[in-house]
Amino acid sequence: MAIYCDQTGYLPQDRKRAVMTAGENYKVMRMKDGGEEQVMAGTARDAGTDAASGDHVYEVDFSKIHEAGLYYIENEKGERSHCFRIGKDVYKELQRDLQKALYFQRCGCALEEQYAGPYTHPCCHMGDAVLWNDRSVVKEVRGGWHDAGDYGRYISPAAVAVGHLLYAFQLFPESFQESLNIPESGSGIPDLLSECRYELEWMLKMQDEEGGAYHKLTSERHADFIMPEEDKAQFYLFPVSSMATADYAASMALASRVYRTYDGAFADRLLEAAEAAYEWLEKHPEYVGFHNPESCNTGEYDDVCDRDERLWAATEMLLTTGEQKYQEQVSKLLQEDLSRTDFGWTDVSGFAALGILTDAAGTASPDSVGELRKTVLAEADRLVRVAEQSGYGVAMEPEDYIWGSNMVVLNRGMLLILAAMTAKKDEEAGSPDQAGCEKRSLIYEQTALAQLHYLLGMNAVDYSYVTGYGEHAYRHPHNRPTECDGIEEPMPGWVSGGPFKTPCDEVGRERIREGTPPMKCYVDHAACYSLNEITIYWNSPAVFLTAYFNREL
């Protein structure tokens, strides 16, 4: 028998659930100085069999508890859940560490003790890069963030991570006032923007003379498990792709809007780069793909279609410049078969909806707004139904547990937040069904919060998938510095990729028996790259979610 809960905690006025795997009586205990007290008791509700885990589950609902404090749940056999907090600020430190983790991915600079604590290392990857297809071309492209557990840097993942972060800042600026203790702290610019700028300055170097964006910057083969400063392999610029160039144009245009208030010259540079990239797309209307050369094993980030990337690019150019030619492209691309609701690196079409539906200036045409509103709310309704059928409240069906399933969970949380904001906007605009809009907004919001609860421990393997958060947080990410730095505790704030129904790494295949339910296909082991790697674009949607729930602190 087990009791699963959000090991970080719950907000006072929101729905609070835990999951038991037996229908037993329980009590909720509050820990106080000098002792404990029982604050609630009941019998867990039979919620049926959860398809993704195979568990027969029982729901503990303790939503009526609002008082701040430290709690745990105990069953009649004396078995206890992990401790958790209730409080308005339960996700405040979590958001900070989710952001600070990006600092630890900085490439091309030393991580100093005053900012990095024990996780220091000297400058890394300081050599120039060579163009893969023309070894006579040498270029300085230092900087940026290591993308994941390896030392490569890739344009599309970078653009997506920056997109999540800048939209979070744009929509919930009040959640980004705290110092992250990075070298730029105290500059008068919010630390999140300083951290993103470190990535953007590198991205600016990744554009060729014609405006296209190089697909990636990596060595020919993944480095062994060594510290970054020990990786002396030659790095290469790999050919331009239309996917990377469209993502590049989109993120640069978005960044230009966000940074305009703080640094007009930098905003001008970003917009100039975005316009050059978009011109490249216009000159190359056909799909220009990318595949690794035969001898290369670093991340491929290949795609079969660039229409969603072009939609995002046209949208951001429209919102930044207001030029009608971009609206024409948005309208045209919205007629194609695109999801419009996803925020991952393979499908970025959700960014078009995010930008247009939250644009206070009303730049896009009413037809585009109406089409995207309808799509977003319909998908949010579907996700609510999926979450209601899940014993753990997660908006995932068994087939959704792919490589990086926690990214799917978090991106769906983002979509639900967008739907909540859209329904709230309808209410404020004087919808005839104001009560219905308010109710829908609350349902979407609470379902988004349930995705965070899943990430932080309310799942069938009893892990908090964020290092340093929870009594049973995972500890062994597939991340070279974490494994090689000689420090027992991993850097806090890293999101794990999570369960994968068909693990493809050797340790995962050995330890997970065939037929294991998808939610339970997880091993906390550094060798499990298909289950337990970290990436910048798995942290960034978690920042978006926590920023939303921290906005009223």
Side-chain angles (χ1 to χ4, degrees):
M1 212 288 289
I3 306 171
Y4 304 114
C5 64
D6 182 328
Q7 298 172 29
T8 297
Y10 300 83
L11 298 170
Q13 302 305 319
D14 289 280
R15 189 182 184 195
K16 305 171 193 69
R17 294 174 63 245
V19 172
M20 299 171 68
T21 53
E24 305 212 21
N25 296 328
Y26 67 87
K27 56 185 178 181
V28 182
M29 304 295 294
R30 182 169 185 255
M31 304 174 73
K32 303 180 69 174
D33 291 339
E36 303 173 346
E37 64 174 346
Q38 179 177 311
V39 294
M40 182 181 168
T43 301
R45 181 186 70 85
D46 188 339
T49 300
D50 174 69
S53 67
D55 292 338
H56 197 101
V57 298
Y58 299 81
E59 178 188 280
V60 175
D61 192 323
F62 52 103
S63 301
K64 68 180 184 181
I65 300 175
H66 304 300
E67 187 175 358
L70 186 64
Y71 296 82
Y72 66 87
I73 299 166
E74 183 177 319
N75 69 11
E76 58 191 18
K77 296 179 181 179
E79 296 168 322
R80 293 168 49 161
S81 73
H82 300 295
C83 291
F84 57 86
R85 281 205 311 124
I86 293 176
K88 291 177 62 177
D89 64 345
V90 290
Y91 302 128
K92 183 178 180 180
E93 289 186 10
L94 172 62
Q95 182 192 333
R96 181 200 65 202
D97 283 342
L98 289 167
Q99 297 172 80
K100 181 64 181 280
L102 299 169
Y103 166 76
F104 293 115
Q105 291 294 94
R106 287 193 185 189
C107 184
C109 72
L111 300 192
E112 301 175 6
E113 184 177 2
Q114 68 184 104
Y115 308 113
Y119 306 107
T120 61
H121 67 71
C123 290
C124 62
H125 304 109
M126 297 298 288
D128 291 339
V130 173
L131 190 62
W132 180 265
N133 289 344
D134 184 352
R135 305 300 171 90
S136 69
V137 177
V138 178
K139 189 172 182 180
E140 187 274 298
V141 280
R142 292 190 289 273
W145 300 321
H146 298 141
D147 172 66
D150 61 277
Y151 298 132
R153 283 157 283 168
Y154 308 82
I155 283 297
S156 288
V160 167
V162 166
H164 294 150
L165 296 167
L166 293 184
Y167 267 114
F169 177 83
Q170 183 173 272
L171 296 171
F172 323 121
E174 60 273 28
S175 297
F176 295 94
Q177 303 306 308
E178 190 174 1
S179 171
L180 298 178
N181 186 33
I182 58 177
E184 298 82 2
S185 295
S187 66
I189 296 174
D191 280 2
L192 178 76
L193 296 190
S194 294
E195 192 58 61
C196 286
R197 181 164 181 166
Y198 193 84
E199 180 79 334
L200 289 163
E201 292 280 10
W202 166 74
M203 292 176 72
L204 285 167
K205 300 176 183 180
M206 290 290 288
Q207 190 170 37
D208 75 2
E209 296 79 4
E210 297 179 356
Y214 296 112
H215 192 81
K216 66 175 185 175
L217 171 67
T218 74
S219 52
E220 185 172 4
R221 311 286 296 177
H222 280 309
D224 292 333
F225 267 67
I226 55 177
M227 289 295 287
E229 69 275 14
E230 297 170 357
D231 180 18
K232 304 298 184 181
Q234 177 64 56
F235 269 58
Y236 296 94
L237 285 164
F238 287 82
V240 168
S241 70
S242 55
M243 170 193 177
T245 303
D247 285 334
Y248 183 95
S251 57
M252 290 292 166
L254 167 61
S256 178
R257 294 202 307 280
V258 174
Y259 286 88
R260 179 69 58 190
T261 302
Y262 301 94
D263 188 335
F266 184 53
D268 287 342
R269 286 175 60 204
L270 294 166
L271 182 56
E272 182 179 353
E275 290 174 333
Y278 203 90
E279 288 175 8
W280 186 96
L281 293 170
E282 291 179 317
K283 293 175 183 175
H284 300 81
E286 73 288 351
Y287 171 66
V288 180
F290 175 82
H291 293 290
N292 271 340
E294 187 174 342
S295 61
C296 179
N297 80 336
T298 55
E300 191 167 47
Y301 288 107
D302 58 323
D303 202 349
V304 296
C305 170
D306 66 5
R307 309 307 288 171
D308 53 302
E309 286 85 7
R310 289 176 186 265
L311 173 61
W312 184 25
T315 297
E316 298 298 353
M317 294 300 291
L318 169 64
L319 297 178
T320 302
T321 69
E323 294 182 20
Q324 180 61 28
K325 70 174 184 177
Y326 299 118
Q327 175 60 69
E328 292 170 1
Q329 285 300 306
V330 169
S331 298
K332 181 179 178 181
L333 288 162
L334 284 178
Q335 295 175 21
E336 299 188 18
D337 184 19
L338 302 172
S339 81
R340 313 171 194 173
T341 58
D342 204 353
F343 305 96
W345 65 266
T346 52
D347 184 351
V348 298
S349 59
F351 283 104
L354 182 61
I356 287 173
L357 294 180
T358 61
D359 175 35
T363 309
S365 71
D367 286 346
S368 295
V369 173
E371 181 69 21
L372 290 168
R373 176 189 172 280
K374 179 177 68 175
T375 302
V376 164
L377 294 180
E379 175 63 4
D381 288 340
R382 185 189 75 84
L383 294 178
V384 168
R385 292 191 297 270
V386 171
E388 288 174 343
Q389 292 298 311
S390 166
Y392 292 89
V394 64
M396 298 275 282
E397 298 185 86
E399 60 268 25
D400 295 328
Y401 288 84
I402 59 173
W403 190 331
S405 63
N406 283 338
M407 175 190 71
V408 181
V409 172
L410 292 165
N411 288 350
R412 289 180 176 182
M414 284 184 61
L415 190 280
L416 287 158
I417 286 172
L418 175 58
M421 296 172 68
T422 301
K424 189 68 174 176
K425 197 172 183 179
D426 290 345
E427 177 194 352
E428 293 170 350
S431 168
D433 183 19
Q434 289 192 339
C437 291
E438 182 179 9
K439 181 179 179 181
R440 290 181 81 182
S441 180
L442 181 60
I443 290 171
Y444 298 146
E445 181 180 280
Q446 292 301 298
T447 308
L449 186 55
Q451 310 316 297
L452 204 53
H453 294 328
Y454 167 88
L455 186 78
L456 295 169
M458 202 172 83
N459 55 63
V461 291
D462 192 37
Y463 272 105
S464 167
Y465 289 120
V466 182
T467 51
Y469 281 83
E471 291 184 336
H472 192 218
Y474 88 105
R475 294 168 53 87
H476 304 286
H478 179 85
N479 184 35
R480 281 161 175 76
T482 300
E483 278 298 290
C484 301
D485 61 13
I487 301 170
E488 183 176 355
E489 293 294 327
M491 303 163 193
W494 276 119
V495 174
S496 167
F500 178 23
K501 63 183 185 294
T502 54
C504 58
D505 57 80
E506 184 176 349
V507 172
R509 289 197 305 268
E510 287 178 353
R511 297 195 181 186
I512 296 174
R513 291 179 297 176
E514 187 174 349
T516 298
M519 195 189 292
K520 295 182 177 178
C521 290
Y522 176 74
V523 180
D524 181 18
H525 194 290
C528 291
Y529 56 83
S530 68
L531 304 170
N532 215 32
E533 191 165 10
I534 58 95
T535 76
I536 57 176
Y537 57 89
W538 295 342
N539 264 53
S540 50
V543 171
F544 188 101
L545 261 68
T546 51
Y548 178 82
F549 291 109
N550 285 331
R551 70 195 189 285
E552 296 179 356
L553 286 179

